[in-house]
Protein backbone atom coordinates (compact mmCIF):
# COMPACT_ATOMS: atom_id res chain seq x y z
CA UNK A 1 0.00 0.00 0.00
CA UNK A 2 1.26 3.42 -0.88
CA UNK A 3 1.95 5.34 2.30
CA UNK A 4 -0.14 8.41 1.59
CA UNK A 5 -0.19 9.58 5.20
CA UNK A 6 2.78 9.65 7.50
CA UNK A 7 0.77 10.80 10.48
CA UNK A 8 -2.84 11.59 11.23
CA UNK A 9 -1.87 14.52 13.40
CA UNK A 10 -0.20 17.78 12.60
CA UNK A 11 2.21 19.58 14.83
CA UNK A 12 -0.67 20.98 16.89
CA UNK A 13 -2.27 17.54 17.33
CA UNK A 14 -4.95 18.13 14.73
CA UNK A 15 -6.09 15.37 12.38
CA UNK A 16 -4.67 15.51 8.87
CA UNK A 17 -7.01 16.44 6.01
CA UNK A 18 -7.18 12.80 4.96
CA UNK A 19 -8.33 11.61 8.38
CA UNK A 20 -10.79 14.50 8.59
CA UNK A 21 -12.23 13.36 5.27
CA UNK A 22 -12.39 9.76 6.49
CA UNK A 23 -14.08 10.77 9.76
CA UNK A 24 -16.68 12.84 7.91
CA UNK A 25 -17.59 9.99 5.56
CA UNK A 26 -17.68 7.49 8.42
CA UNK A 27 -20.00 9.76 10.42
CA UNK A 28 -22.43 9.75 7.50
CA UNK A 29 -22.43 5.92 7.44
CA UNK A 30 -22.06 4.85 11.07
CA UNK A 31 -23.73 1.46 10.60
CA UNK A 32 -21.37 0.39 7.79
CA UNK A 33 -17.78 -0.66 7.46
CA UNK A 34 -16.16 2.07 5.36
CA UNK A 35 -14.04 0.87 2.41
CA UNK A 36 -11.93 4.00 1.87
CA UNK A 37 -10.18 4.12 -1.52
CA UNK A 38 -6.42 4.71 -1.25
CA UNK A 39 -4.70 4.11 -4.56
CA UNK A 40 -5.02 0.42 -5.43
CA UNK A 41 -6.50 -0.53 -2.04
CA UNK A 42 -9.60 -0.09 0.04
CA UNK A 43 -8.43 0.74 3.54
CA UNK A 44 -10.27 0.64 6.86
CA UNK A 45 -9.29 2.52 10.01
CA UNK A 46 -10.00 2.55 13.76
CA UNK A 47 -12.74 0.16 14.93
CA UNK A 48 -13.69 -0.74 11.33
CA UNK A 49 -10.15 -2.04 10.82
CA UNK A 50 -10.24 -4.11 13.99
CA UNK A 51 -13.61 -5.64 13.09
CA UNK A 52 -12.76 -6.30 9.44
CA UNK A 53 -9.33 -7.77 10.10
CA UNK A 54 -10.84 -10.28 12.51
CA UNK A 55 -13.76 -11.12 10.20
CA UNK A 56 -11.60 -11.49 7.10
CA UNK A 57 -8.54 -13.01 8.71
CA UNK A 58 -6.23 -10.29 7.38
CA UNK A 59 -3.38 -8.48 9.08
CA UNK A 60 -4.19 -5.56 11.36
CA UNK A 61 -1.49 -2.93 11.20
CA UNK A 62 -1.31 0.77 12.05
CA UNK A 63 -0.85 4.04 10.25
CA UNK A 64 0.05 7.23 12.08
CA UNK A 65 -1.47 8.48 15.30
CA UNK A 66 -4.68 10.13 16.45
CA UNK A 67 -4.85 11.93 19.80
CA UNK A 68 -1.55 10.33 20.68
CA UNK A 69 -2.67 6.75 19.97
CA UNK A 70 -1.83 4.50 17.03
CA UNK A 71 -4.48 4.28 14.32
CA UNK A 72 -5.48 0.65 13.58
CA UNK A 73 -5.57 0.00 9.85
CA UNK A 74 -6.12 -2.89 7.42
CA UNK A 75 -6.70 -2.98 3.69
CA UNK A 76 -7.80 -5.13 0.78
CA UNK A 77 -6.62 -4.78 -2.84
CA UNK A 78 -9.12 -3.39 -5.33
CA UNK A 79 -8.80 -6.36 -7.68
CA UNK A 80 -9.85 -8.78 -4.90
CA UNK A 81 -12.48 -6.56 -3.27
CA UNK A 82 -15.46 -8.70 -4.38
CA UNK A 83 -14.10 -11.71 -2.53
CA UNK A 84 -13.77 -9.75 0.72
CA UNK A 85 -17.16 -8.08 0.27
CA UNK A 86 -18.76 -11.49 -0.16
CA UNK A 87 -17.30 -12.67 3.15
CA UNK A 88 -18.39 -9.54 5.01
CA UNK A 89 -21.93 -9.61 3.62
CA UNK A 90 -22.25 -13.32 4.48
CA UNK A 91 -21.29 -12.46 8.06
CA UNK A 92 -24.04 -9.83 8.24
CA UNK A 93 -22.00 -6.65 7.75
CA UNK A 94 -22.96 -3.67 5.61
CA UNK A 95 -20.23 -1.90 3.65
CA UNK A 96 -20.02 1.69 2.41
CA UNK A 97 -17.73 1.86 -0.64
CA UNK A 98 -15.85 5.16 -0.84
CA UNK A 99 -14.19 6.03 -4.15
CA UNK A 100 -12.12 8.91 -5.49
CA UNK A 101 -14.57 11.18 -7.28
CA UNK A 102 -11.89 13.13 -9.15
CA UNK A 103 -8.50 12.47 -10.66
CA UNK A 104 -5.37 13.56 -8.75
CA UNK A 105 -4.55 15.95 -11.60
CA UNK A 106 -7.85 17.76 -11.02
CA UNK A 107 -7.06 18.10 -7.32
CA UNK A 108 -3.64 19.55 -8.10
CA UNK A 109 -5.26 22.26 -10.22
CA UNK A 110 -6.98 23.57 -7.10
CA UNK A 111 -3.82 23.45 -5.00
CA UNK A 112 -0.63 21.46 -4.99
CA UNK A 113 -1.44 19.80 -1.66
CA UNK A 114 -5.24 19.55 -1.99
CA UNK A 115 -6.72 16.18 -1.01
CA UNK A 116 -8.44 14.23 -3.76
CA UNK A 117 -12.21 14.37 -3.34
CA UNK A 118 -13.84 11.14 -2.22
CA UNK A 119 -17.42 10.08 -1.67
CA UNK A 120 -19.47 7.03 -0.84
CA UNK A 121 -20.74 5.72 -4.15
CA UNK A 122 -22.63 2.66 -2.90
CA UNK A 123 -23.87 0.90 0.21
CA UNK A 124 -23.42 -2.86 -0.10
CA UNK A 125 -26.07 -4.83 1.78
CA UNK A 126 -27.26 -8.46 1.50
CA UNK A 127 -30.37 -7.52 -0.51
CA UNK A 128 -28.72 -5.10 -2.95
CA UNK A 129 -25.99 -7.21 -4.55
CA UNK A 130 -25.60 -7.38 -8.34
CA UNK A 131 -22.11 -8.75 -9.02
CA UNK A 132 -21.80 -12.33 -10.23
CA UNK A 133 -19.01 -12.95 -7.74
CA UNK A 134 -21.32 -12.04 -4.85
CA UNK A 135 -24.41 -13.95 -5.99
CA UNK A 136 -25.58 -17.48 -6.62
CA UNK A 137 -26.39 -17.36 -10.33
CA UNK A 138 -29.15 -19.98 -9.97
CA UNK A 139 -30.99 -18.34 -7.11
CA UNK A 140 -32.78 -15.00 -6.80
CA UNK A 141 -31.48 -12.39 -4.38
CA UNK A 142 -34.56 -10.80 -2.85
CA UNK A 143 -34.97 -7.66 -0.79
CA UNK A 144 -38.33 -7.45 1.01
CA UNK A 145 -40.00 -4.53 2.77
CA UNK A 146 -42.72 -5.29 5.33
CA UNK A 147 -45.46 -2.85 6.34
CA UNK A 148 -48.23 -3.50 8.83
CA UNK A 149 -51.84 -3.17 7.72
CA UNK A 150 -54.12 -2.46 10.67
CA UNK A 151 -57.21 -4.67 10.87
CA UNK A 152 -56.83 -6.07 7.36
CA UNK A 153 -57.10 -9.74 8.36
CA UNK A 154 -60.24 -11.79 7.87
CA UNK A 155 -60.85 -11.80 11.63
CA UNK A 156 -60.16 -8.10 12.00
CA UNK A 157 -56.59 -8.69 13.16
CA UNK A 158 -53.60 -6.91 11.68
CA UNK A 159 -52.09 -8.08 8.43
CA UNK A 160 -48.84 -7.36 6.62
CA UNK A 161 -48.00 -6.04 3.18
CA UNK A 162 -44.80 -7.16 1.50
CA UNK A 163 -42.87 -5.55 -1.35
CA UNK A 164 -40.14 -7.71 -2.87
CA UNK A 165 -37.46 -6.70 -5.36
CA UNK A 166 -34.49 -8.47 -6.91
CA UNK A 167 -32.41 -5.54 -8.16
CA UNK A 168 -30.10 -7.92 -10.04
CA UNK A 169 -32.97 -8.83 -12.40
CA UNK A 170 -35.52 -6.03 -11.88
CA UNK A 171 -38.31 -8.26 -10.57
CA UNK A 172 -40.80 -6.35 -8.34
CA UNK A 173 -43.80 -7.91 -6.59
CA UNK A 174 -46.37 -6.76 -4.02
CA UNK A 175 -48.71 -8.78 -1.86
CA UNK A 176 -50.43 -9.07 1.51
CA UNK A 177 -50.81 -11.79 4.12
CA UNK A 178 -52.52 -12.18 7.46
CA UNK A 179 -50.38 -11.90 10.58
CA UNK A 180 -50.29 -15.65 11.13
CA UNK A 181 -49.04 -16.24 7.59
CA UNK A 182 -46.10 -13.81 7.67
CA UNK A 183 -43.53 -16.42 8.69
CA UNK A 184 -44.65 -18.85 5.99
CA UNK A 185 -44.60 -16.12 3.34
CA UNK A 186 -41.08 -15.05 4.28
CA UNK A 187 -39.99 -18.71 4.19
CA UNK A 188 -41.33 -18.90 0.63
CA UNK A 189 -39.64 -15.71 -0.53
CA UNK A 190 -36.36 -16.35 1.31
CA UNK A 191 -35.15 -12.75 1.12
CA UNK A 192 -31.51 -11.98 1.78
CA UNK A 193 -32.60 -8.86 3.63
CA UNK A 194 -35.87 -7.53 5.04
CA UNK A 195 -36.79 -3.91 5.79
CA UNK A 196 -39.14 -2.89 8.63
CA UNK A 197 -39.94 0.40 10.34
CA UNK A 198 -38.14 1.05 13.65
CA UNK A 199 -41.34 0.99 15.76
CA UNK A 200 -42.34 -2.36 14.26
CA UNK A 201 -38.84 -3.74 14.73
CA UNK A 202 -38.81 -2.74 18.41
CA UNK A 203 -42.35 -3.86 19.22
CA UNK A 204 -42.23 -6.27 22.15
CA UNK A 205 -44.54 -8.83 20.54
CA UNK A 206 -42.38 -9.00 17.39
CA UNK A 207 -38.83 -8.58 18.69
CA UNK A 208 -38.24 -12.30 18.95
CA UNK A 209 -39.76 -12.93 15.52
CA UNK A 210 -37.50 -10.47 13.68
CA UNK A 211 -34.38 -11.63 15.46
CA UNK A 212 -35.18 -15.28 14.86
CA UNK A 213 -35.31 -14.99 11.09
CA UNK A 214 -32.40 -16.55 9.24
CA UNK A 215 -31.53 -13.41 7.25
CA UNK A 216 -30.66 -9.77 7.83
CA UNK A 217 -33.47 -7.51 9.09
CA UNK A 218 -32.77 -3.79 8.63
CA UNK A 219 -34.85 -1.28 10.62
CA UNK A 220 -35.64 2.00 8.86
CA UNK A 221 -37.08 5.31 9.96
CA UNK A 222 -40.91 5.53 9.85
CA UNK A 223 -40.69 8.14 7.08
CA UNK A 224 -39.65 5.40 4.65
CA UNK A 225 -43.08 3.79 5.16
CA UNK A 226 -45.14 7.01 5.19
CA UNK A 227 -48.50 5.99 3.74
CA UNK A 228 -49.58 9.54 2.98
CA UNK A 229 -46.86 10.05 0.37
CA UNK A 230 -46.35 6.43 -0.71
CA UNK A 231 -48.43 6.44 -3.89
CA UNK A 232 -46.75 9.60 -5.20
CA UNK A 233 -43.27 8.30 -4.38
CA UNK A 234 -43.92 5.07 -6.26
CA UNK A 235 -45.32 6.98 -9.26
CA UNK A 236 -42.39 9.41 -9.23
CA UNK A 237 -39.88 6.56 -9.22
CA UNK A 238 -41.34 5.19 -12.45
CA UNK A 239 -41.94 8.63 -13.96
CA UNK A 240 -45.74 8.32 -14.22
CA UNK A 241 -48.57 10.47 -12.95
CA UNK A 242 -50.20 7.70 -10.93
CA UNK A 243 -49.48 4.08 -9.97
CA UNK A 244 -53.01 3.00 -10.93
CA UNK A 245 -51.75 1.76 -14.30
CA UNK A 246 -49.74 -0.92 -12.48
CA UNK A 247 -52.77 -2.33 -10.67
CA UNK A 248 -54.86 -1.83 -7.57
CA UNK A 249 -52.80 -1.82 -4.39
CA UNK A 250 -53.69 -1.25 -0.75
CA UNK A 251 -52.28 1.66 1.23
CA UNK A 252 -50.00 -0.74 3.15
CA UNK A 253 -48.73 -2.33 -0.07
CA UNK A 254 -47.90 1.09 -1.50
CA UNK A 255 -46.16 1.98 1.80
CA UNK A 256 -43.99 -1.13 1.52
CA UNK A 257 -43.33 -0.38 -2.16
CA UNK A 258 -42.32 3.21 -1.45
CA UNK A 259 -40.05 2.10 1.40
CA UNK A 260 -38.20 -0.49 -0.68
CA UNK A 261 -37.73 1.89 -3.62
CA UNK A 262 -36.39 4.59 -1.28
CA UNK A 263 -33.97 2.08 0.23
CA UNK A 264 -32.77 1.04 -3.21
CA UNK A 265 -32.13 4.68 -4.09
CA UNK A 266 -30.35 5.24 -0.77
CA UNK A 267 -28.01 2.29 -1.18
CA UNK A 268 -27.27 2.80 -4.89
CA UNK A 269 -26.55 6.53 -4.45
CA UNK A 270 -27.46 8.08 -7.78
CA UNK A 271 -27.58 4.93 -9.90
CA UNK A 272 -31.08 3.60 -10.53
CA UNK A 273 -31.50 -0.10 -11.32
CA UNK A 274 -33.78 -1.24 -14.12
CA UNK A 275 -36.74 -2.27 -11.95
CA UNK A 276 -39.95 -3.46 -13.60
CA UNK A 277 -43.30 -1.95 -12.52
CA UNK A 278 -44.78 -3.84 -9.55
CA UNK A 279 -46.99 -6.89 -10.07
CA UNK A 280 -49.44 -7.98 -7.43
CA UNK A 281 -49.34 -11.49 -5.99
CA UNK A 282 -52.98 -12.27 -5.33
CA UNK A 283 -53.67 -13.69 -1.87
CA UNK A 284 -54.02 -17.47 -1.96
CA UNK A 285 -52.48 -17.77 -5.44
CA UNK A 286 -49.61 -19.88 -4.06
CA UNK A 287 -49.49 -22.54 -1.39
CA UNK A 288 -48.22 -21.21 1.92
CA UNK A 289 -46.05 -23.72 3.78
CA UNK A 290 -44.73 -22.98 7.25
CA UNK A 291 -40.97 -22.98 7.79
CA UNK A 292 -40.83 -26.29 9.69
CA UNK A 293 -42.88 -28.17 7.10
CA UNK A 294 -40.92 -26.60 4.27
CA UNK A 295 -37.64 -27.72 5.84
CA UNK A 296 -38.89 -31.29 6.34
CA UNK A 297 -40.19 -31.49 2.77
CA UNK A 298 -36.73 -30.50 1.54
CA UNK A 299 -38.22 -28.64 -1.42
CA UNK A 300 -35.28 -26.46 -2.38
CA UNK A 301 -32.62 -27.55 0.11
CA UNK A 302 -31.97 -30.61 2.22
CA UNK A 303 -32.00 -30.70 6.00
CA UNK A 304 -28.25 -30.18 5.75
CA UNK A 305 -28.95 -26.82 4.07
CA UNK A 306 -27.73 -27.79 0.61
CA UNK A 307 -29.44 -27.93 -2.77
CA UNK A 308 -28.05 -31.42 -3.27
CA UNK A 309 -30.48 -33.93 -1.83
CA UNK A 310 -33.51 -31.65 -2.17
CA UNK A 311 -36.39 -31.91 -4.63
CA UNK A 312 -34.95 -28.97 -6.54
CA UNK A 313 -31.56 -30.65 -6.72
CA UNK A 314 -33.17 -33.83 -8.08
CA UNK A 315 -35.20 -32.23 -10.87
CA UNK A 316 -33.26 -29.10 -11.84
CA UNK A 317 -32.02 -29.79 -15.35
CA UNK A 318 -32.52 -26.25 -16.56
CA UNK A 319 -30.18 -24.98 -19.26
CA UNK A 320 -29.90 -21.41 -17.92
CA UNK A 321 -29.44 -19.67 -14.59
CA UNK A 322 -32.67 -17.72 -15.15
CA UNK A 323 -34.55 -20.98 -15.72
CA UNK A 324 -33.15 -22.41 -12.49
CA UNK A 325 -34.26 -19.30 -10.57
CA UNK A 326 -37.77 -19.65 -12.00
CA UNK A 327 -37.94 -23.33 -11.10
CA UNK A 328 -36.77 -22.50 -7.56
CA UNK A 329 -39.50 -19.87 -7.27
CA UNK A 330 -42.24 -22.23 -8.46
CA UNK A 331 -41.17 -25.08 -6.18
CA UNK A 332 -40.96 -22.73 -3.19
CA UNK A 333 -44.47 -21.41 -3.87
CA UNK A 334 -46.57 -23.96 -5.79
CA UNK A 335 -49.51 -22.34 -7.57
CA UNK A 336 -53.04 -22.94 -6.25
CA UNK A 337 -54.71 -21.46 -9.32
CA UNK A 338 -56.18 -24.19 -11.58
CA UNK A 339 -55.86 -22.08 -14.72
CA UNK A 340 -52.19 -21.35 -14.05
CA UNK A 341 -51.50 -25.01 -13.32
CA UNK A 342 -53.27 -26.07 -16.53
CA UNK A 343 -51.28 -23.57 -18.62
CA UNK A 344 -48.00 -24.86 -17.20
CA UNK A 345 -48.98 -28.49 -17.77
CA UNK A 346 -49.94 -27.70 -21.37
CA UNK A 347 -46.51 -26.16 -21.92
CA UNK A 348 -44.79 -29.19 -20.42
CA UNK A 349 -46.86 -31.52 -22.58
CA UNK A 350 -46.02 -29.54 -25.72
CA UNK A 351 -42.31 -29.99 -25.13
CA UNK A 352 -42.65 -33.63 -24.09
CA UNK A 353 -44.48 -34.40 -27.32
CA UNK A 354 -42.28 -32.11 -29.41
CA UNK A 355 -38.97 -33.65 -28.39
CA UNK A 356 -37.16 -32.39 -31.49
CA UNK A 357 -38.27 -28.80 -30.79
CA UNK A 358 -37.26 -29.22 -27.15
CA UNK A 359 -33.79 -30.40 -28.14
CA UNK A 360 -33.32 -27.48 -30.56
CA UNK A 361 -34.39 -24.90 -27.98
CA UNK A 362 -32.20 -26.44 -25.27
CA UNK A 363 -29.24 -26.28 -27.64
CA UNK A 364 -29.82 -22.54 -28.02
CA UNK A 365 -30.38 -22.00 -24.29
CA UNK A 366 -27.21 -23.90 -23.39
CA UNK A 367 -25.19 -21.07 -24.94
CA UNK A 368 -27.34 -18.21 -23.64
CA UNK A 369 -25.82 -15.98 -20.92
CA UNK A 370 -27.73 -14.45 -18.01
CA UNK A 371 -29.25 -11.49 -19.87
CA UNK A 372 -31.29 -10.20 -16.90
CA UNK A 373 -28.37 -9.88 -14.51
CA UNK A 374 -26.16 -8.38 -17.21
CA UNK A 375 -28.82 -5.73 -17.80
CA UNK A 376 -29.10 -5.15 -14.05
CA UNK A 377 -25.38 -4.44 -13.75
CA UNK A 378 -25.36 -2.16 -16.79
CA UNK A 379 -28.27 -0.12 -15.42
CA UNK A 380 -26.27 0.49 -12.24
CA UNK A 381 -23.10 1.44 -14.13
CA UNK A 382 -21.37 -1.68 -12.78
CA UNK A 383 -21.39 -3.60 -16.02
CA UNK A 384 -18.55 -4.29 -18.36
CA UNK A 385 -18.04 -5.02 -22.06
CA UNK A 386 -18.89 -8.68 -21.51
CA UNK A 387 -22.29 -7.69 -20.13
CA UNK A 388 -22.96 -5.86 -23.39
CA UNK A 389 -21.96 -9.03 -25.22
CA UNK A 390 -24.36 -10.97 -22.98
CA UNK A 391 -27.20 -8.67 -24.04
CA UNK A 392 -26.27 -9.26 -27.68
CA UNK A 393 -26.09 -13.05 -27.24
CA UNK A 394 -29.35 -13.11 -25.29
CA UNK A 395 -31.20 -11.16 -27.95
CA UNK A 396 -29.81 -13.36 -30.72
CA UNK A 397 -30.85 -16.47 -28.77
CA UNK A 398 -34.32 -15.00 -28.35
CA UNK A 399 -34.61 -14.39 -32.07
CA UNK A 400 -33.62 -18.00 -32.85
CA UNK A 401 -36.05 -19.39 -30.28
CA UNK A 402 -38.82 -17.14 -31.59
CA UNK A 403 -38.23 -18.46 -35.10
CA UNK A 404 -38.31 -22.07 -33.86
CA UNK A 405 -41.57 -21.51 -31.98
CA UNK A 406 -43.19 -19.77 -34.96
CA UNK A 407 -42.26 -22.65 -37.27
CA UNK A 408 -43.53 -25.27 -34.81
CA UNK A 409 -46.84 -23.45 -34.11
CA UNK A 410 -47.07 -24.96 -30.60
CA UNK A 411 -50.61 -25.00 -29.18
CA UNK A 412 -49.84 -23.71 -25.69
CA UNK A 413 -50.94 -20.38 -24.20
CA UNK A 414 -47.89 -20.27 -21.92
CA UNK A 415 -45.48 -20.79 -24.81
CA UNK A 416 -47.44 -18.35 -26.99
CA UNK A 417 -47.00 -15.66 -24.31
CA UNK A 418 -43.26 -16.37 -24.23
CA UNK A 419 -43.09 -16.07 -28.03
CA UNK A 420 -44.95 -12.75 -27.88
CA UNK A 421 -42.47 -11.44 -25.29
CA UNK A 422 -39.59 -12.44 -27.55
CA UNK A 423 -41.10 -10.67 -30.54
CA UNK A 424 -41.37 -7.47 -28.48
CA UNK A 425 -37.59 -7.29 -28.02
CA UNK A 426 -35.87 -4.25 -29.60
CA UNK A 427 -35.40 -5.01 -33.29
CA UNK A 428 -31.88 -4.69 -34.60
CA UNK A 429 -30.23 -4.09 -31.21
CA UNK A 430 -28.31 -7.37 -31.33
CA UNK A 431 -26.90 -6.43 -34.74
CA UNK A 432 -25.90 -2.97 -33.56
CA UNK A 433 -24.10 -4.43 -30.55
CA UNK A 434 -22.36 -7.01 -32.72
CA UNK A 435 -21.16 -4.30 -35.07
CA UNK A 436 -19.87 -2.15 -32.21
CA UNK A 437 -18.19 -4.74 -29.95
CA UNK A 438 -14.75 -6.20 -30.59
CA UNK A 439 -14.27 -9.96 -30.81
CA UNK A 440 -11.94 -10.15 -27.80
CA UNK A 441 -13.52 -8.25 -24.91
CA UNK A 442 -11.83 -7.20 -21.65
CA UNK A 443 -13.52 -7.88 -18.34
CA UNK A 444 -13.49 -4.24 -17.18
CA UNK A 445 -14.50 -1.22 -19.24
CA UNK A 446 -11.53 0.71 -17.81
CA UNK A 447 -9.25 -1.61 -19.79
CA UNK A 448 -10.63 -0.17 -23.04
CA UNK A 449 -10.30 -1.73 -26.46
CA UNK A 450 -13.81 -3.17 -26.58
CA UNK A 451 -15.16 -1.10 -29.49
CA UNK A 452 -14.53 -2.72 -32.85
CA UNK A 453 -11.92 -1.11 -35.10
CA UNK A 454 -13.67 0.78 -37.88
CA UNK A 455 -16.92 1.29 -35.95
CA UNK A 456 -16.26 4.99 -35.26
CA UNK A 457 -13.85 7.13 -37.20
CA UNK A 458 -13.23 9.57 -34.33
CA UNK A 459 -12.38 6.73 -31.95
CA UNK A 460 -10.09 5.15 -34.54
CA UNK A 461 -8.30 8.48 -34.88
CA UNK A 462 -7.77 8.73 -31.11
CA UNK A 463 -6.50 5.17 -31.04
CA UNK A 464 -4.10 6.02 -33.81
CA UNK A 465 -2.83 8.98 -31.85
CA UNK A 466 -2.41 6.78 -28.78
CA UNK A 467 -0.80 3.81 -30.50
CA UNK A 468 1.34 5.78 -32.90
CA UNK A 469 2.10 8.76 -30.68
CA UNK A 470 5.85 8.46 -31.11
CA UNK A 471 5.54 8.46 -34.87
CA UNK A 472 3.13 11.42 -34.75
CA UNK A 473 5.38 13.40 -32.39
CA UNK A 474 8.44 12.62 -34.52
CA UNK A 475 6.57 13.82 -37.61
CA UNK A 476 5.52 17.04 -35.87
CA UNK A 477 9.06 17.59 -34.65
CA UNK A 478 10.46 17.19 -38.17
CA UNK A 479 7.80 19.50 -39.61
CA UNK A 480 8.35 22.22 -37.02
CA UNK A 481 12.13 21.98 -37.46
CA UNK A 482 11.73 22.40 -41.21
CA UNK A 483 9.30 25.30 -40.85
CA UNK A 484 11.47 27.22 -38.37
CA UNK A 485 14.90 26.21 -39.58
CA UNK A 486 15.79 25.14 -36.01
CA UNK A 487 17.28 21.70 -36.47
CA UNK A 488 17.66 21.14 -32.70
CA UNK A 489 13.91 21.70 -32.01
CA UNK A 490 12.38 19.02 -29.79
CA UNK A 491 8.77 18.23 -28.79
CA UNK A 492 8.76 17.29 -25.10
CA UNK A 493 6.13 16.31 -22.51
CA UNK A 494 5.77 16.45 -18.74
CA UNK A 495 2.92 16.21 -16.24
CA UNK A 496 2.97 19.93 -15.47
CA UNK A 497 3.06 21.56 -18.89
CA UNK A 498 1.83 18.74 -21.08
CA UNK A 499 3.37 18.83 -24.57
CA UNK A 500 5.72 21.73 -25.33
CA UNK A 501 8.41 22.75 -27.83
CA UNK A 502 11.97 22.98 -26.61
CA UNK A 503 14.64 25.06 -28.35
CA UNK A 504 17.80 26.78 -27.20
CA UNK A 505 17.54 30.35 -25.89
CA UNK A 506 19.35 31.61 -29.00
CA UNK A 507 16.63 30.16 -31.25
CA UNK A 508 13.71 31.35 -29.13
CA UNK A 509 12.97 34.40 -31.28
CA UNK A 510 12.38 32.23 -34.31
CA UNK A 511 9.26 30.76 -32.63
CA UNK A 512 7.78 34.14 -31.73
CA UNK A 513 4.78 35.65 -33.62
CA UNK A 514 5.65 37.44 -36.90
CA UNK A 515 5.07 40.84 -35.28
CA UNK A 516 7.90 40.04 -32.86
CA UNK A 517 10.25 39.09 -35.65
CA UNK A 518 9.52 35.37 -35.61
CA UNK A 519 7.87 33.28 -38.31
CA UNK A 520 6.31 30.26 -36.62
CA UNK A 521 3.40 31.03 -34.24
Amino acid sequence: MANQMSSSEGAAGRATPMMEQYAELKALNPDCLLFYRMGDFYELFFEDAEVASKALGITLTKRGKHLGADIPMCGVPIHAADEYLQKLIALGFRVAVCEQTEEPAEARKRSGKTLVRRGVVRLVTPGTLTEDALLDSRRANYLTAIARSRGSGTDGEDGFALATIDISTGEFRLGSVEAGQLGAELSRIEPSEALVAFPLFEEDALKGFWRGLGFAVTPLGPSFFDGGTAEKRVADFFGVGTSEGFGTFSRAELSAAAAILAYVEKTQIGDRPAIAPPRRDEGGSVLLIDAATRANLELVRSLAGEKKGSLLGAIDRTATAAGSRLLHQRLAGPSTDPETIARRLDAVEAFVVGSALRAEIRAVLDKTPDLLRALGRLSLNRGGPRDLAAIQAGLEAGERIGTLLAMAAVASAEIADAAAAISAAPAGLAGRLGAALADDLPFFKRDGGFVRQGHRADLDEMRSLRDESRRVIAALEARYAADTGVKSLKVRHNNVLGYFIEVSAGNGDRLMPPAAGGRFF
Side-chain angles (χ1 to χ4, degrees), residues 384-460:
R386 296 183 186 182
D387 287 315
L388 291 172
I391 300 295
Q392 176 196 348
L395 290 171
E396 289 174 344
E399 291 174 1
R400 290 196 292 273
I401 290 172
T403 300
L404 289 171
L405 292 177
M407 292 172 58
V410 179
S412 162
E414 188 91 347
I415 296 175
D417 287 348
I422 290 172
S423 66
L429 180 56
R432 290 169 61 190
L433 286 170
L437 295 173
D439 294 327
D440 187 15
L441 296 174
F443 189 80
F444 298 106
K445 61 183 178 183
R446 64 172 178 261
D447 295 331
F450 55 88
V451 177
R452 188 180 298 277
Q453 190 79 19
H455 180 65
R456 285 187 52 165
D458 56 345
L459 182 58
D460 289 344

Side-chain angles (χ1 to χ4, degrees), residues 117-200:
R117 289 194 181 104
R118 292 178 175 84
V120 173
V121 298
R122 177 189 176 195
L123 303 181
V124 185
T125 74
T128 59
L129 304 176
T130 57
E131 293 84 351
D132 276 343
L134 305 180
L135 294 171
D136 181 346
S137 65
R138 304 183 77 83
R139 183 178 171 187
N141 189 58
Y142 287 129
L143 172 71
T144 296
I146 306 165
R148 180 158 52 193
S149 179
R150 294 287 188 184
S152 63
T154 55
D155 55 0
E157 296 294 324
D158 292 345
F160 290 93
L162 294 89
T164 298
I165 283 177
D166 183 344
I167 72 167
S168 71
T169 63
E171 181 183 356
F172 187 10
R173 292 182 175 274
L174 296 177
S176 295
V177 295
E178 297 186 6
Q181 299 172 328
L182 179 60
E185 180 68 353
L186 290 174
S187 294
R188 177 184 73 84
I189 297 171
E190 288 189 296
S192 298
E193 182 180 6
L195 313 172
V196 296
F198 273 116
L200 193 62

Side-chain angles (χ1 to χ4, degrees), residues 139-140 142 144 162 164 171 173-177 181-191 215 279-291 294 299-301 325 328-335 344:
R139 183 178 171 187
Y142 287 129
T144 296
L162 294 89
T164 298
E171 181 183 356
R173 292 182 175 274
L174 296 177
S176 295
V177 295
Q181 299 172 328
L182 179 60
E185 180 68 353
L186 290 174
S187 294
R188 177 184 73 84
I189 297 171
E190 288 189 296
F215 48 82
R279 296 176 55 188
R280 195 174 196 284
D281 285 330
E282 296 297 334
S285 61
V286 296
L287 184 64
L288 286 179
I289 307 171
D290 64 81
R294 185 180 296 277
L299 294 176
V300 296
R301 66 176 53 82
R325 293 195 296 266
H328 184 291
Q329 182 186 87
R330 290 183 175 180
L331 278 181
S335 176
R344 292 176 182 174

Side-chain angles (χ1 to χ4, degrees), residues 340-519:
T340 298
I341 294 171
R343 281 169 56 94
R344 292 176 182 174
L345 289 174
D346 288 345
V348 171
E349 181 181 17
F351 282 123
V352 169
V353 173
S355 58
L357 175 64
R358 183 179 75 244
E360 287 182 289
I361 290 180
R362 280 191 64 89
V364 175
L365 290 175
D366 277 334
K367 300 176 182 178
T368 303
D370 198 335
L371 188 150
L372 284 175
R373 284 193 166 165
L375 181 61
R377 286 188 293 274
L378 289 168
S379 70
L380 286 165
N381 199 31
R382 292 180 203 138
R386 296 183 186 182
D387 287 315
L388 291 172
I391 300 295
Q392 176 196 348
L395 290 171
E396 289 174 344
E399 291 174 1
R400 290 196 292 273
I401 290 172
T403 300
L404 289 171
L405 292 177
M407 292 172 58
V410 179
S412 162
E414 188 91 347
I415 296 175
D417 287 348
I422 290 172
S423 66
L429 180 56
R432 290 169 61 190
L433 286 170
L437 295 173
D439 294 327
D440 187 15
L441 296 174
F443 189 80
F444 298 106
K445 61 183 178 183
R446 64 172 178 261
D447 295 331
F450 55 88
V451 177
R452 188 180 298 277
Q453 190 79 19
H455 180 65
R456 285 187 52 165
D458 56 345
L459 182 58
D460 289 344
E461 182 180 359
M462 286 187 284
R463 280 177 173 163
S464 178
L465 288 172
R466 180 200 65 189
D467 298 338
E468 303 178 30
S469 59
R470 290 185 179 180
R471 182 184 62 79
V472 171
I473 295 301
L476 283 173
E477 199 172 84
R479 193 184 100 199
Y480 292 165
D483 288 348
T484 62
V486 180
K487 302 302 181 183
S488 61
L489 180 149
K490 299 294 181 184
V491 176
R492 306 288 193 188
H493 178 275
N494 63 41
N495 291 332
V496 177
L497 299 176
Y499 285 99
F500 61 94
I501 297 171
E502 180 184 270
V503 295
S504 65
N507 289 318
D509 289 345
R510 297 181 129 189
L511 272 69
M512 292 296 103
R519 60 181 186 178

Side-chain angles (χ1 to χ4, degrees), residues 223-291:
S223 61
F224 276 81
F225 292 86
D226 179 23
T229 61
E231 198 278 337
K232 184 177 186 305
R233 287 187 289 150
V234 172
D236 287 348
F237 183 91
F238 290 102
V240 296
T242 175
S243 65
E244 291 178 358
F246 303 144
T248 302
F249 305 110
S250 68
R251 180 184 175 96
E253 288 169 345
L254 288 170
S255 295
I260 201 170
L261 292 173
Y263 185 74
V264 167
E265 288 188 310
K266 175 187 176 183
T267 55
Q268 304 314 298
I269 308 179
D271 291 317
R272 177 169 293 189
I275 295 176
R279 296 176 55 188
R280 195 174 196 284
D281 285 330
E282 296 297 334
S285 61
V286 296
L287 184 64
L288 286 179
I289 307 171
D290 64 81

